[in-house]
């Protein structure tokens, strides 16, 4: 910052010592486009965890990963352009204005990975909400829900 020549280092240093000429501050901001919205419903292995990786910048690679779900179980990935939570068994289904439903099957460890090589440029500036429903006899109503996951594409 102009006029700030602090001779201290680190976060929240002593800004009263302005004896270092031409010194200044550098700020690093980290943008993670993925936000865990909660709202899961436990099953056999607890609440299934849905996570996203990648920057969601047009053309960039990434993936969605589901873990801690019932093994070898039928499931559905819900994708929505809005999050308007609705009651679902004993939990909340977040992506209720569903744009896409993708039927899936968990592997023997209760996981699914859905990679993409190139994030679509048509989705730039879009917010999406993802959530998985997994067939699970141990869950209320026989269906476990992953956490909802919001994706903010820059």
């Amino acid at each position: 910052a102009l006029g700030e020549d602090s001779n201290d280092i680190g976060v929240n240093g002593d800004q009263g010592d302005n004896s270092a000429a031409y010194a200044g501050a550098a700020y690093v901001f980290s943008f993670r486009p993925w936000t865990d919205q909660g709202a899961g419903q436990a099953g056999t292995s607890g609440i299934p965890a849905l996570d996203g990786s990648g920057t969601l910048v047009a053309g960039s690679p990434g993936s969605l990963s589901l873990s801690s779900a019932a093994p070898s179980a039928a499931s559905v990935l819900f994708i929505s352009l809005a999050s308007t939570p609705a009651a679902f068994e004993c939990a909340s289904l977040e992506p209720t204005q569903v744009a896409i439903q993708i039927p899936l099957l968990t592997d023997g460890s209760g996981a699914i990975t859905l990679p993409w090589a190139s994030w679509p440029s048509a989705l730039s500036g879009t917010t999406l909400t993802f959530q998985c429903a997994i067939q699970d006899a141990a869950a209320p109503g026989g269906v476990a829900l992953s956490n909802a996951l919001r994706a903010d594409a820059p």
Side-chain angles (χ1 to χ4, degrees):
L2 185 60
E4 291 295 323
D5 296 324
S6 177
N7 197 26
D8 206 349
I9 60 172
V11 176
N12 296 325
D14 177 12
Q15 295 179 12
D17 178 1
N18 284 330
S19 63
Y22 304 106
Y27 300 95
V28 178
F29 297 95
S30 176
F31 172 73
R32 177 165 157 71
W34 302 99
T35 305
D36 183 341
Q37 301 289 96
Q41 178 167 279
T44 300
S45 302
I47 296 175
L50 186 61
D51 193 25
S53 68
T55 64
L56 303 182
V57 170
S60 66
S63 67
L64 282 174
S65 299
L66 178 70
S67 60
S68 301
S72 304
S75 60
V76 176
L77 174 63
F78 297 105
I79 305 171
S80 176
L81 295 169
S83 177
T84 309
F88 183 86
E89 297 300 330
C90 296
S92 175
L93 184 64
E94 299 289 312
T96 53
Q97 298 172 1
V98 176
I100 300 171
Q101 296 180 49
I102 302 173
L104 301 166
L105 185 66
T106 62
D107 66 17
S109 67
I112 299 171
T113 300
L114 300 171
W116 58 85
S118 179
W119 184 258
S121 60
L123 294 177
S124 293
T126 303
T127 296
L128 299 171
T129 302
F130 299 91
Q131 193 169 20
C132 283
I134 304 98
Q135 188 175 23
D136 190 328
V143 178
L145 289 177
S146 73
N147 57 297
L149 187 64
R150 189 179 78 210
D152 297 305

Coordinates of all heavy atoms in Angstrom, one line a residue, residues 5-86:
D5 N 5.7 1.2 4.4 CA 7.0 0.6 4.2 C 7.3 -0.2 5.4 O 8.4 -0.1 6.0 CB 8.0 1.7 3.9 CG 7.7 2.4 2.6 OD1 7.3 1.8 1.7 OD2 8.0 3.6 2.5
S6 N 6.4 -1.1 5.9 CA 6.6 -1.8 7.1 C 7.9 -2.7 7.0 O 8.2 -3.3 6.0 CB 5.4 -2.7 7.3 OG 5.7 -3.5 8.5
N7 N 8.7 -2.7 8.1 CA 9.9 -3.5 8.1 C 9.6 -4.8 8.8 O 10.5 -5.6 9.0 CB 10.9 -2.7 8.9 CG 12.3 -3.3 8.7 OD1 12.6 -3.9 7.7 ND2 13.2 -3.1 9.7
D8 N 8.3 -5.1 9.0 CA 7.9 -6.4 9.7 C 7.5 -7.4 8.6 O 7.2 -7.1 7.5 CB 6.8 -6.2 10.7 CG 6.8 -7.2 11.8 OD1 7.5 -8.2 11.7 OD2 6.0 -7.0 12.7
I9 N 7.5 -8.7 9.0 CA 7.1 -9.7 8.1 C 6.0 -10.5 8.7 O 5.8 -10.5 9.9 CB 8.3 -10.7 7.7 CG1 8.9 -11.3 9.0 CG2 9.4 -9.9 6.9 CD1 9.9 -12.4 8.7
G10 N 5.2 -11.2 7.9 CA 4.2 -12.1 8.4 C 2.8 -11.4 8.4 O 2.7 -10.2 8.2
V11 N 1.8 -12.2 8.8 CA 0.5 -11.6 8.9 C 0.3 -10.8 10.1 O 0.8 -11.2 11.2 CB -0.5 -12.8 8.8 CG1 -1.9 -12.3 9.0 CG2 -0.4 -13.6 7.5
N12 N -0.3 -9.7 10.1 CA -0.6 -8.8 11.2 C 0.7 -8.4 11.9 O 0.7 -8.3 13.1 CB -1.5 -9.5 12.2 CG -2.9 -9.8 11.6 OD1 -3.4 -9.0 10.9 ND2 -3.5 -10.9 12.0
G13 N 1.7 -8.1 11.1 CA 3.0 -7.6 11.7 C 2.9 -6.2 12.2 O 1.8 -5.5 12.1
D14 N 4.0 -5.7 12.8 CA 4.0 -4.3 13.3 C 4.1 -3.3 12.2 O 5.1 -3.1 11.6 CB 5.2 -4.2 14.2 CG 5.4 -2.8 14.8 OD1 4.5 -2.0 14.7 OD2 6.5 -2.5 15.3
Q15 N 3.0 -2.7 11.9 CA 2.9 -1.7 10.8 C 3.4 -0.3 11.3 O 3.4 0.6 10.5 CB 1.5 -1.7 10.3 CG 1.1 -3.0 9.6 CD -0.3 -3.0 9.1 OE1 -0.9 -1.9 9.0 NE2 -0.8 -4.1 8.7
G16 N 3.8 -0.2 12.5 CA 4.2 1.1 13.0 C 5.7 1.4 12.6 O 6.1 2.5 12.6
D17 N 6.4 0.4 12.2 CA 7.8 0.5 11.8 C 7.9 0.6 10.3 O 7.8 -0.3 9.6 CB 8.7 -0.7 12.3 CG 10.1 -0.6 11.8 OD1 10.5 0.4 11.2 OD2 10.9 -1.5 12.1
N18 N 7.9 1.9 9.8 CA 8.0 2.1 8.3 C 9.4 2.4 7.8 O 9.5 3.3 7.0 CB 7.0 3.2 8.0 CG 5.5 2.8 8.0 OD1 5.3 1.6 7.8 ND2 4.6 3.7 8.4
S19 N 10.4 1.7 8.4 CA 11.8 2.1 8.0 C 12.3 1.4 6.8 O 13.4 1.6 6.3 CB 12.7 1.7 9.2 OG 12.6 0.3 9.5
A20 N 11.5 0.4 6.2 CA 12.0 -0.3 5.0 C 11.5 0.4 3.8 O 10.3 0.4 3.5 CB 11.5 -1.7 5.1
A21 N 12.4 1.0 3.0 CA 12.0 1.7 1.8 C 11.5 0.8 0.7 O 12.0 -0.3 0.6 CB 13.2 2.5 1.3
Y22 N 10.5 1.2 0.1 CA 9.9 0.4 -1.1 C 9.4 -1.0 -0.7 O 9.3 -1.8 -1.5 CB 10.9 0.3 -2.2 CG 11.4 1.7 -2.7 CD1 12.6 2.1 -2.4 CD2 10.5 2.5 -3.4 CE1 13.1 3.4 -2.8 CE2 10.9 3.8 -3.8 CZ 12.2 4.2 -3.5 OH 12.6 5.4 -3.9
A23 N 9.0 -1.1 0.6 CA 8.4 -2.4 1.0 C 6.9 -2.3 0.9 O 6.4 -1.2 0.7 CB 8.8 -2.7 2.4
G24 N 6.2 -3.3 0.9 CA 4.8 -3.2 0.9 C 4.2 -4.6 1.2 O 4.8 -5.5 1.7
A25 N 2.9 -4.7 0.9 CA 2.2 -5.9 1.3 C 1.8 -6.6 0.0 O 1.5 -6.0 -1.0 CB 0.9 -5.6 2.1
A26 N 1.7 -7.9 0.1 CA 1.2 -8.7 -1.0 C 0.1 -9.5 -0.5 O 0.2 -10.1 0.6 CB 2.3 -9.6 -1.6
Y27 N -1.0 -9.6 -1.2 CA -2.2 -10.3 -0.8 C -2.4 -11.5 -1.8 O -2.4 -11.3 -3.0 CB -3.4 -9.4 -0.7 CG -3.2 -8.3 0.2 CD1 -2.8 -7.0 -0.2 CD2 -3.4 -8.5 1.6 CE1 -2.6 -6.0 0.7 CE2 -3.2 -7.4 2.5 CZ -2.8 -6.2 2.0 OH -2.6 -5.2 2.9
V28 N -2.6 -12.6 -1.3 CA -2.9 -13.8 -2.1 C -4.3 -14.2 -1.8 O -4.7 -14.5 -0.6 CB -1.9 -14.9 -1.8 CG1 -2.3 -16.2 -2.6 CG2 -0.5 -14.5 -2.1
F29 N -5.2 -14.3 -2.8 CA -6.5 -14.8 -2.6 C -6.7 -16.1 -3.3 O -6.2 -16.3 -4.4 CB -7.5 -13.7 -3.2 CG -7.5 -12.4 -2.5 CD1 -6.7 -11.4 -3.0 CD2 -8.2 -12.2 -1.4 CE1 -6.7 -10.2 -2.4 CE2 -8.2 -11.0 -0.8 CZ -7.4 -9.9 -1.3
S30 N -7.4 -17.0 -2.6 CA -7.6 -18.3 -3.2 C -9.1 -18.4 -3.5 O -10.0 -18.1 -2.6 CB -7.2 -19.4 -2.2 OG -7.5 -20.6 -2.6
F31 N -9.4 -18.9 -4.7 CA -10.8 -19.1 -5.0 C -11.1 -20.5 -5.2 O -10.5 -21.2 -6.0 CB -11.1 -18.3 -6.4 CG -12.5 -18.6 -6.9 CD1 -13.6 -18.1 -6.3 CD2 -12.7 -19.4 -8.0 CE1 -14.9 -18.4 -6.8 CE2 -14.0 -19.7 -8.5 CZ -15.1 -19.2 -7.9
R32 N -12.0 -21.1 -4.4 CA -12.4 -22.5 -4.6 C -13.8 -22.4 -5.0 O -14.7 -21.9 -4.3 CB -12.2 -23.2 -3.2 CG -12.8 -24.7 -3.3 CD -12.3 -25.5 -2.2 NE -13.1 -26.7 -1.9 CZ -13.2 -27.8 -2.7 NH1 -12.5 -27.8 -3.8 NH2 -14.0 -28.8 -2.3
P33 N -14.1 -22.9 -6.2 CA -15.5 -22.8 -6.7 C -16.5 -23.7 -6.1 O -17.6 -23.7 -6.4 CB -15.3 -23.1 -8.2 CG -14.1 -24.0 -8.3 CD -13.2 -23.5 -7.2
W34 N -16.0 -24.6 -5.2 CA -16.9 -25.6 -4.7 C -17.3 -25.3 -3.2 O -16.4 -25.0 -2.4 CB -16.2 -27.0 -4.7 CG -15.7 -27.4 -6.0 CD1 -14.5 -27.3 -6.6 CD2 -16.5 -28.0 -7.0 NE1 -14.5 -27.8 -7.8 CE2 -15.7 -28.2 -8.1 CE3 -17.9 -28.4 -7.1 CZ2 -16.2 -28.8 -9.3 CZ3 -18.3 -29.0 -8.3 CH2 -17.5 -29.2 -9.3
T35 N -18.6 -25.4 -2.9 CA -19.1 -25.1 -1.6 C -20.0 -26.2 -1.1 O -21.0 -26.5 -1.7 CB -19.9 -23.8 -1.5 OG1 -19.1 -22.7 -2.1 CG2 -20.3 -23.4 -0.1
D36 N -19.6 -26.8 0.0 CA -20.4 -27.9 0.6 C -21.6 -27.2 1.3 O -21.5 -26.4 2.2 CB -19.5 -28.6 1.7 CG -20.2 -29.8 2.3 OD1 -21.5 -29.8 2.3 OD2 -19.6 -30.6 2.9
Q37 N -22.8 -27.7 0.8 CA -24.0 -27.1 1.3 C -24.7 -27.9 2.4 O -25.8 -27.6 2.9 CB -25.1 -27.0 0.2 CG -24.6 -26.1 -1.0 CD -24.6 -24.6 -0.6 OE1 -23.5 -24.1 -0.2 NE2 -25.7 -24.0 -0.7
G38 N -24.0 -29.0 2.8 CA -24.6 -29.9 3.8 C -25.8 -30.7 3.3 O -25.9 -31.0 2.1
A39 N -26.8 -30.9 4.2 CA -28.1 -31.5 3.8 C -28.0 -33.0 3.5 O -28.9 -33.5 2.8 CB -28.8 -30.7 2.7
G40 N -27.0 -33.7 3.9 CA -26.9 -35.1 3.7 C -27.8 -36.0 4.6 O -28.3 -35.5 5.6
Q41 N -28.0 -37.2 4.2 CA -28.8 -38.1 5.1 C -28.0 -39.4 5.1 O -27.6 -40.0 4.1 CB -30.2 -38.4 4.4 CG -31.0 -39.4 5.2 CD -32.4 -39.4 4.8 OE1 -33.2 -38.6 5.2 NE2 -32.8 -40.4 3.9
A42 N -27.7 -39.9 6.3 CA -26.8 -41.0 6.6 C -27.4 -42.3 6.1 O -28.6 -42.5 6.1 CB -26.4 -41.1 8.1
G43 N -26.5 -43.2 5.7 CA -26.8 -44.6 5.3 C -25.8 -45.5 6.0 O -25.3 -45.2 7.1
T44 N -25.5 -46.6 5.3 CA -24.6 -47.7 5.8 C -23.3 -47.1 6.4 O -22.9 -47.6 7.4 CB -24.4 -48.7 4.7 OG1 -25.6 -49.2 4.3 CG2 -23.5 -49.8 5.2
S45 N -22.7 -46.2 5.6 CA -21.3 -45.7 6.0 C -21.4 -44.3 6.5 O -20.4 -43.6 6.3 CB -20.4 -45.9 4.8 OG -20.4 -47.2 4.4
G46 N -22.5 -43.8 7.0 CA -22.6 -42.4 7.4 C -23.1 -41.6 6.3 O -23.7 -42.1 5.4
I47 N -22.9 -40.3 6.3 CA -23.4 -39.4 5.3 C -22.4 -39.5 4.1 O -21.2 -39.3 4.2 CB -23.5 -38.0 5.7 CG1 -24.5 -37.9 6.9 CG2 -23.8 -37.0 4.6 CD1 -24.6 -36.5 7.5
P48 N -23.0 -39.9 2.9 CA -22.1 -40.0 1.7 C -21.5 -38.6 1.4 O -22.2 -37.6 1.5 CB -23.1 -40.4 0.6 CG -24.2 -41.1 1.3 CD -24.3 -40.4 2.6
A49 N -20.3 -38.6 1.0 CA -19.6 -37.3 0.8 C -19.4 -37.0 -0.7 O -18.8 -37.8 -1.4 CB -18.2 -37.3 1.4
L50 N -19.9 -35.9 -1.2 CA -19.8 -35.5 -2.6 C -18.8 -34.3 -2.6 O -19.0 -33.4 -1.8 CB -21.1 -35.1 -3.1 CG -21.2 -34.7 -4.6 CD1 -20.8 -35.9 -5.5 CD2 -22.6 -34.2 -5.0
D51 N -17.8 -34.4 -3.4 CA -16.8 -33.4 -3.5 C -16.4 -33.1 -5.0 O -16.6 -34.0 -5.8 CB -15.5 -33.8 -2.7 CG -14.5 -32.7 -2.5 OD1 -15.0 -31.5 -2.5 OD2 -13.3 -32.9 -2.4
G52 N -16.0 -31.9 -5.2 CA -15.6 -31.5 -6.6 C -14.2 -31.1 -6.6 O -13.6 -30.6 -5.6
S53 N -13.6 -31.3 -7.7 CA -12.2 -30.8 -7.9 C -12.1 -30.1 -9.3 O -12.9 -30.3 -10.2 CB -11.2 -31.9 -7.9 OG -11.3 -32.8 -9.0
G54 N -11.2 -29.2 -9.4 CA -11.0 -28.4 -10.6 C -11.5 -27.0 -10.4 O -12.2 -26.7 -9.5
T55 N -11.0 -26.1 -11.3 CA -11.3 -24.7 -11.2 C -12.6 -24.3 -11.8 O -13.1 -23.2 -11.6 CB -10.2 -23.9 -11.9 OG1 -10.2 -24.2 -13.3 CG2 -8.8 -24.2 -11.3
L56 N -13.2 -25.1 -12.7 CA -14.4 -24.8 -13.4 C -14.2 -23.7 -14.4 O -15.2 -23.1 -14.9 CB -15.6 -24.5 -12.5 CG -16.0 -25.6 -11.5 CD1 -17.2 -25.2 -10.7 CD2 -16.2 -26.9 -12.2
V57 N -13.0 -23.4 -14.7 CA -12.7 -22.4 -15.8 C -12.9 -23.2 -17.1 O -12.5 -24.3 -17.3 CB -11.2 -21.9 -15.7 CG1 -10.8 -21.1 -16.9 CG2 -11.0 -21.1 -14.4
A58 N -13.5 -22.5 -18.1 CA -13.8 -23.1 -19.4 C -12.6 -23.8 -19.9 O -11.5 -23.3 -20.0 CB -14.3 -22.1 -20.4
G59 N -12.7 -25.1 -20.3 CA -11.6 -25.9 -20.9 C -10.8 -26.6 -19.9 O -9.9 -27.4 -20.3
S60 N -11.0 -26.4 -18.6 CA -10.2 -27.0 -17.6 C -10.7 -28.4 -17.1 O -11.9 -28.6 -17.2 CB -10.1 -26.1 -16.3 OG -11.3 -26.0 -15.7
P61 N -9.8 -29.3 -16.7 CA -10.3 -30.6 -16.2 C -10.8 -30.6 -14.8 O -10.5 -29.6 -14.1 CB -9.0 -31.5 -16.3 CG -7.9 -30.5 -16.1 CD -8.4 -29.2 -16.7
G62 N -11.5 -31.6 -14.4 CA -12.0 -31.7 -13.0 C -12.8 -33.0 -12.8 O -12.8 -33.8 -13.7
S63 N -13.4 -33.1 -11.7 CA -14.2 -34.3 -11.4 C -15.2 -34.0 -10.2 O -15.0 -33.1 -9.4 CB -13.3 -35.5 -11.1 OG -12.7 -35.3 -9.9
L64 N -16.2 -34.9 -10.2 CA -17.0 -35.0 -9.0 C -16.7 -36.4 -8.4 O -16.6 -37.3 -9.2 CB -18.5 -35.0 -9.4 CG -19.2 -33.6 -9.7 CD1 -20.6 -33.8 -10.2 CD2 -19.2 -32.8 -8.5
S65 N -16.6 -36.5 -7.1 CA -16.3 -37.7 -6.5 C -17.3 -38.0 -5.3 O -17.5 -37.1 -4.5 CB -14.9 -37.7 -5.9 OG -14.0 -37.5 -6.9
L66 N -17.9 -39.1 -5.3 CA -18.8 -39.6 -4.2 C -18.0 -40.7 -3.4 O -17.4 -41.6 -4.0 CB -20.1 -40.1 -4.8 CG -21.1 -40.6 -3.7 CD1 -21.7 -39.5 -2.9 CD2 -22.2 -41.5 -4.4
S67 N -18.1 -40.6 -2.1 CA -17.5 -41.6 -1.3 C -18.4 -41.8 -0.1 O -19.3 -41.1 0.2 CB -16.0 -41.2 -0.8 OG -16.1 -40.0 -0.1
S68 N -18.1 -42.9 0.7 CA -18.8 -43.3 1.9 C -20.3 -43.6 1.6 O -21.1 -43.3 2.5 CB -18.7 -42.2 3.0 OG -17.3 -42.0 3.3
A69 N -20.6 -44.1 0.4 CA -21.9 -44.5 0.1 C -22.0 -46.0 0.2 O -21.0 -46.7 0.4 CB -22.3 -44.0 -1.3
A70 N -23.2 -46.5 0.1 CA -23.4 -48.0 0.1 C -22.7 -48.6 -1.1 O -22.8 -48.1 -2.2 CB -24.9 -48.3 0.1
P71 N -22.0 -49.8 -0.9 CA -21.3 -50.4 -2.0 C -22.3 -51.0 -3.0 O -23.4 -51.5 -2.6 CB -20.5 -51.5 -1.3 CG -20.9 -51.5 0.1 CD -21.8 -50.4 0.4
S72 N -21.9 -50.9 -4.3 CA -22.6 -51.5 -5.4 C -24.1 -51.2 -5.3 O -25.0 -52.0 -5.5 CB -22.5 -53.0 -5.4 OG -21.1 -53.4 -5.4
A73 N -24.4 -49.9 -5.1 CA -25.8 -49.4 -5.0 C -26.2 -48.5 -6.1 O -25.4 -47.7 -6.6 CB -25.9 -48.6 -3.7
A74 N -27.5 -48.6 -6.5 CA -28.0 -47.7 -7.5 C -28.1 -46.3 -6.9 O -28.4 -46.2 -5.7 CB -29.4 -48.2 -7.9
S75 N -27.8 -45.4 -7.7 CA -27.8 -44.0 -7.3 C -28.2 -43.0 -8.4 O -28.2 -43.4 -9.6 CB -26.5 -43.6 -6.7 OG -25.5 -43.7 -7.6
V76 N -28.5 -41.8 -8.0 CA -28.9 -40.8 -9.0 C -28.1 -39.5 -8.6 O -28.2 -39.1 -7.5 CB -30.4 -40.5 -9.1 CG1 -30.7 -39.4 -10.0 CG2 -31.1 -41.8 -9.5
L77 N -27.5 -38.9 -9.6 CA -26.9 -37.6 -9.4 C -27.9 -36.5 -9.9 O -28.3 -36.6 -11.1 CB -25.6 -37.4 -10.2 CG -24.9 -36.1 -10.2 CD1 -24.5 -35.6 -8.7 CD2 -23.7 -36.0 -11.1
F78 N -28.3 -35.6 -9.1 CA -29.2 -34.6 -9.4 C -28.4 -33.3 -9.7 O -27.5 -33.0 -8.9 CB -30.2 -34.3 -8.3 CG -31.2 -35.4 -8.0 CD1 -31.0 -36.2 -6.9 CD2 -32.2 -35.7 -8.9 CE1 -31.8 -37.3 -6.6 CE2 -33.1 -36.8 -8.6 CZ -32.9 -37.5 -7.5
I79 N -28.7 -32.6 -10.8 CA -28.0 -31.4 -11.1 C -29.0 -30.3 -11.4 O -30.0 -30.5 -12.1 CB -27.1 -31.5 -12.4 CG1 -26.1 -32.7 -12.2 CG2 -26.3 -30.2 -12.6 CD1 -25.4 -33.1 -13.4
S80 N -28.9 -29.1 -10.7 CA -29.9 -28.1 -10.8 C -29.2 -26.7 -11.0 O -28.0 -26.5 -10.6 CB -30.7 -28.1 -9.5 OG -31.6 -27.0 -9.6
L81 N -29.9 -25.8 -11.6 CA -29.4 -24.4 -11.8 C -29.8 -23.6 -10.6 O -29.4 -22.4 -10.5 CB -29.9 -23.8 -13.1 CG -29.4 -24.5 -14.4 CD1 -30.2 -24.0 -15.6 CD2 -27.9 -24.2 -14.5
A82 N -30.6 -24.1 -9.7 CA -31.0 -23.4 -8.5 C -31.0 -24.4 -7.3 O -31.2 -25.6 -7.4 CB -32.4 -22.8 -8.7
S83 N -30.9 -23.8 -6.1 CA -31.0 -24.6 -4.9 C -32.2 -24.1 -4.1 O -32.2 -23.0 -3.5 CB -29.8 -24.5 -4.1 OG -29.9 -25.2 -2.9
T84 N -33.3 -24.8 -4.2 CA -34.5 -24.5 -3.4 C -34.8 -25.8 -2.6 O -35.5 -26.7 -3.1 CB -35.7 -24.2 -4.4 OG1 -35.3 -23.2 -5.3 CG2 -36.9 -23.7 -3.6
P85 N -34.3 -25.9 -1.4 CA -34.4 -27.2 -0.7 C -35.8 -27.6 -0.5 O -36.7 -26.8 -0.3 CB -33.7 -26.8 0.7 CG -32.9 -25.6 0.4 CD -33.5 -24.9 -0.7
A86 N -36.0 -28.9 -0.6 CA -37.3 -29.6 -0.3 C -37.1 -30.7 0.6 O -36.1 -31.4 0.6 CB -37.9 -30.0 -1.7

